[in-house]
Amino acid sequence: MKSSSRGAVDPFIVMDVMEEARRLEAAGRSIIHMEVGQPGTPAPEAAREALAQAMATGSLGYTVALGLPELRSGIAALYRRWYGVDLDPARVVVTSGSSAAFLLAFTALFEAGDRVGLGEPGYPSYRQILRALSLRPVGIPTQVENRLQPVPADLESVEMAGLIVASPGNPTGTMLDHAAMTALISHCAGRGISFVSDEIYHGLHYGARAVSALEITDDCYVINSFSKYFSMTGWRVGWMVVPEDHIRTVERLAQNMFICPPHASQIVALAALGCIDELEANRTTYAKNRQLMLEGLPLAGFTKIAPPDGAFYVYADVSDLTGDSLAFAREILHEAGVAVTPGLDFDPVRGRQTLRFSYARATGDIIEGLARLRAFMALRPDGNVR
Ligand SMILES: Cc1ncc(COP(=O)(O)O)c(C=O)c1O
């Protein structure tokens, strides 16, 4: 049977690394997971209990397409709690993870063939989802001096219908402060460019909190998720905030594409909104892990790293060690027993010389992983990978 050219997207390399790590584990190897961008912790306990109760008493059928009204209200209340922003719950769309939100957003905002800008390095699936929707991703190389986030000067000569930013970003963990976010939003507003803000790592900061685009404008799409701060990757539940005049368009798309997000996951998400103590304890663990990474990676020989403001990643420039991050990551996995992500996932060009280390797992794993990396690097004959 014929297959479409738009379906021929690139693999998500980190998923391939995860699979290779799983194969080694199945063969009896011990692997430390510094590749995965997911918490090692489960969904908060009280949230899982809420689901157990709901399962005992309810049928868990379809919900309305935009999500349980009480969950939409709970998410709107989070904007008051986190940013002091009053948000009409009607503008909140509950989705099957932020991944489904991207499908909805890109379909609602763009015509086939439109060019959509994204900062490089950046989350790889933006590019692939855009391509699968017959849109044209436009990579915007960002600069180290701007902490690998786009600035208006990078956008000036770039023709595009939309721009996606992520703060804190993946793979860098760097953030756009209020002034930087405002500058990007003003630039886009001036040129009629739709602004999409991926805020999936909000809640996970180690200094100042992240700024939401909604603190600056209502004329944007904001995408978020229960996957990261709320420790619920596998539940596949996220949300999107859209301008008032886009609600009905998105509702019709959501009805037809998804019917609704999983009912069970919405129940867990609603209860998770109230589990602050447990979630903040997770954040304390990440903060400790981050410190260990910032101390331990340079000792192992990964010296070119910028301290991340948020999320749970360290992005390292390994140009002094390799020109082939895929081969280097494979070598680290097989020789050191540590799974890491090659930068090629995030930047098709400069990513040949970068690696992403995740510190989302338990502190004991981070200590062991760093020890393995140090031992591995010390044994390498000339410190170079060819
Ligand atoms: C920046 C960013 N956006 C979106 C996602 C997708 O998350 P989910 O679909 O689990 O909400 C990820 C996952 O790692 C991510 O790093």
Side-chain angles (χ1 to χ4, degrees):
M1 209 185 294
K2 247 178 78 182
S3 61
S4 72
S5 57
R6 69 178 179 180
V9 301
D10 297 336
F12 194 171
I13 298 172
V14 69
M15 306 301 282
D16 289 350
V17 176
M18 279 166 75
E19 175 53 20
E20 178 72 5
R22 190 202 58 76
R23 267 202 299 273
L24 290 175
E25 281 173 325
R29 283 287 304 275
S30 143
I31 302 296
I32 296 292
H33 291 274
M34 288 189 172
E35 84 285 29
V36 276
Q38 71 171 337
T41 46
E45 191 179 346
R48 285 176 281 132
E49 276 163 14
L51 176 60
Q53 253 181 31
M55 283 171 63
T57 54
S59 65
L60 298 180
Y62 293 138
T63 67
V64 288
L66 295 182
L68 292 171
E70 54 275 39
L71 177 56
R72 295 170 72 200
S73 296
I75 292 167
L78 190 67
Y79 281 81
R80 167 134 297 283
R81 201 197 312 161
W82 276 1
Y83 318 104
V85 165
D86 272 326
L87 176 64
D88 180 355
R91 291 177 55 202
V92 177
V93 179
V94 182
T95 58
S96 299
S98 69
S99 302
F102 295 129
L103 280 174
L104 290 168
F106 299 164
T107 313
L109 287 170
F110 306 121
E111 301 294 349
D114 274 354
R115 292 160 56 88
V116 181
L118 35 98
E120 281 173 355
Y123 179 59
S125 300
Y126 302 143
R127 175 184 295 278
Q128 311 304 342
I129 297 172
L130 288 166
R131 281 171 54 188
L133 293 175
S134 299
L135 297 161
R136 288 190 287 165
V138 181
I140 298 167
T142 59
Q143 308 310 320
V144 174
E145 54 272 28
N146 299 324
R147 307 204 67 234
L148 297 174
Q149 288 282 359
V151 295
D154 300 329
L155 313 179
E156 246 139 44
S157 56
V158 186
E159 184 215 323
M160 59 191 162
L163 175 72
I164 310 164
V165 301
S167 166
N170 175 7
T172 58
T174 60
M175 297 198 308
L176 293 162
D177 64 17
H178 196 281
M181 179 80 91
T182 305
L184 286 173
I185 289 175
S186 308
H187 179 95
C188 288
R191 292 179 52 197
I193 296 168
S194 301
F195 191 81
V196 180
S197 180
D198 180 350
E199 303 186 353
I200 185 169
Y201 292 103
H202 280 216
L204 295 177
H205 51 267
Y206 309 106
R209 70 158 174 85
V211 173
S212 171
L214 285 175
E215 294 177 67
I216 297 158
T217 182
D218 283 325
D219 197 22
C220 62
Y221 273 44
V222 165
I223 292 177
N224 207 322
S225 176
F226 286 92
S227 287
K228 310 291 178 170
Y229 177 72
F230 294 95
S231 192
M232 287 177 53
T233 48
W235 297 87
R236 310 308 305 133
V237 58
W239 74 88
M240 179 161 79
V241 180
V242 303
E244 203 181 327
D245 57 344
H246 284 231
I247 299 169
R248 184 65 183 144
T249 304
V250 172
E251 182 175 32
R252 286 190 302 237
L253 285 166
Q255 288 166 342
N256 287 288
M257 283 185 173
F258 303 106
I259 298 186
C260 67
H263 190 163
S265 303
Q266 294 188 64
I267 288 169
V268 183
L270 176 59
L273 286 170
C275 297
I276 305 307
D277 291 349
E278 192 174 331
L279 299 170
E280 284 299 303
N282 291 348
R283 186 160 69 109
T284 305
T285 302
Y286 301 140
K288 195 164 163 198
N289 294 354
R290 173 181 175 277
Q291 202 47 45
L292 287 167
M293 294 291 269
L294 292 181
E295 287 159 15
L297 285 174
L299 288 177
F302 300 100
T303 50
K304 296 190 196 171
I305 54 178
D309 306 313
F312 33 52
Y313 307 115
V314 177
Y315 197 52
D317 176 341
V318 289
S319 53
D320 51 337
L321 301 168
T322 185
D324 183 349
S325 60
L326 262 181
F328 193 28
R330 203 172 299 124
E331 190 186 335
I332 294 174
L333 175 60
H334 285 264
E335 305 291 321
V338 180
V340 301
T341 308
L344 266 185
D345 232 358
F346 313 102
D347 187 328
V349 180
R350 295 176 297 175
R352 285 177 211 290
Q353 300 187 324
T354 54
L355 291 178
R356 186 194 73 176
F357 298 87
S358 164
Y359 53 87
R361 293 306 180 101
T363 302
D365 282 8
I366 302 301
I367 293 170
E368 172 63 20
L370 286 168
R372 288 185 190 188
L373 287 172
R374 199 168 167 180
F376 161 76
M377 294 290 279
L379 282 178
R380 294 177 71 241
D382 57 2
N384 279 313
V385 171
R386 277 165 281 270

